[in-house]
Amino acid sequence: MQATLKAIFLARTKGGPMIMKSKVQTRTAQGLVGDRYARGKGSWNEGWPGKRQVTLISSESFEGTNFLPGHSRRNLVTSGVEVNSLIGKYFTIGNVLFRGV
C-alpha cells in the first residue's frame, strides 16, 4: 500500500476548533502557518516555538470507531504508514522534508 496524506487540520489556539484545509503553507523550524504549534502555543510546545511543529496520526486508528480525524487534534492524517515507524527517520510529504521525533 502507498502512503497517502488523507487530511490536513489546523487549530489557531490551544483547545480551539480544528479547521480542515485542502492545502497549507509550511515554515521551516516552525510548522504549519496559522497553526498554534507554529507559534509555540500548542499543549506540548508551550513556550518552545519550533518544538513539535507538526503532529501526525494514521487514519487506520479510526477504523471501526465513531472517532473522526478532527477529534484527534493532529495536523496530518495519513494512510498506509505506521507513523511510529517514522521516528528517527527523515521523510517527505509533498515537497516538505520532515524528521520523525
Side-chain angles (χ1 to χ4, degrees):
M1 177 186 276
Q2 175 94 15
T4 58
L5 180 62
K6 303 288 278 184
I8 304 168
F9 291 94
L10 302 178
R12 300 189 193 295
T13 59
K14 182 168 51 173
M18 298 300 288
I19 303 163
M20 190 172 190
K21 297 286 192 173
S22 60
K23 62 182 179 177
V24 291
Q25 186 178 25
T26 59
R27 193 161 287 140
T28 301
Q30 290 183 359
L32 307 179
V33 174
D35 188 66
R36 68 211 184 276
Y37 277 86
R39 295 188 323 278
K41 301 294 181 183
S43 296
W44 299 102
N45 76 340
E46 186 75 41
W48 295 79
K51 183 177 182 181
R52 291 193 172 118
Q53 302 159 18
V54 179
T55 58
L56 287 79
I57 192 165
S58 171
S59 64
E60 287 83 2
S61 302
F62 309 118
E63 290 177 1
T65 74
N66 292 325
F67 198 72
L68 300 173
H71 295 157
S72 71
R73 306 212 44 87
R74 299 294 177 259
N75 298 119
L76 305 179
V77 181
T78 65
S79 178
V81 63
E82 173 51 56
V83 294
N84 286 335
S85 73
L86 301 173
I87 295 173
K89 297 178 182 172
Y90 286 91
F91 59 97
T92 58
I93 299 176
N95 61 355
V96 178
L97 178 65
F98 292 86
R99 181 173 61 92
V101 294

